[in-house]
Amino acid sequence: MSFQASGSLFVPFFPLGGFSSLQSPILDVAAASLGAPARQVALAWLLQRSPNILIIAGTSSVEHLHENLKAATLQLPSETVAQLNEIAVVMKSQGS
């Protein structure tokens, strides 16, 4: 499903795997280096990939909601983005 507003196409999706969330040593290292939760870094990474992504992150608590919202302002260094982009390469090589 996609939505169009003001001539822009938006692609909403649930990116982090729901109850079996995305797990990657690459993500863990990036999160530790930034001092942020891994899910927050993953959301920030996806938001920085394209301005037309609408993430359906989900939450189970107010604290978790605040973590998700902070992802919108978390600026990832270009080196971190490059490292995180490797997750797809690793997953593809593993047949995921």
Side-chain angles (χ1 to χ4, degrees), residues 4-67:
Q4 191 167 353
S6 303
S8 300
L9 185 63
F10 291 95
V11 182
F13 68 110
F14 189 51
L16 300 182
F19 297 109
S20 60
S21 63
L22 173 67
Q23 298 198 5
S24 165
I26 297 170
L27 177 58
D28 294 339
V29 169
S33 73
L34 294 167
R39 288 181 60 89
Q40 188 180 84
V41 173
L43 292 172
W45 169 46
L46 293 170
L47 287 170
Q48 290 179 32
R49 289 180 60 87
S50 177
N52 69 329
I53 292 177
L54 297 175
I55 296 174
I56 303 167
T59 186
S60 58
S61 68
V62 172
E63 180 183 347
H64 190 211
L65 173 63
H66 289 287
E67 282 183 9

Side-chain angles (χ1 to χ4, degrees), residues 58-96:
T59 186
S60 58
S61 68
V62 172
E63 180 183 347
H64 190 211
L65 173 63
H66 289 287
E67 282 183 9
N68 287 348
L69 291 172
K70 288 180 185 175
T73 59
L74 181 61
Q75 291 299 310
L76 304 178
S78 58
E79 304 82 38
T80 302
V81 171
Q83 291 167 348
L84 292 170
N85 288 341
E86 289 298 313
I87 292 173
V89 173
V90 169
M91 291 180 76
K92 185 174 182 180
S93 71
Q94 295 173 347
S96 299

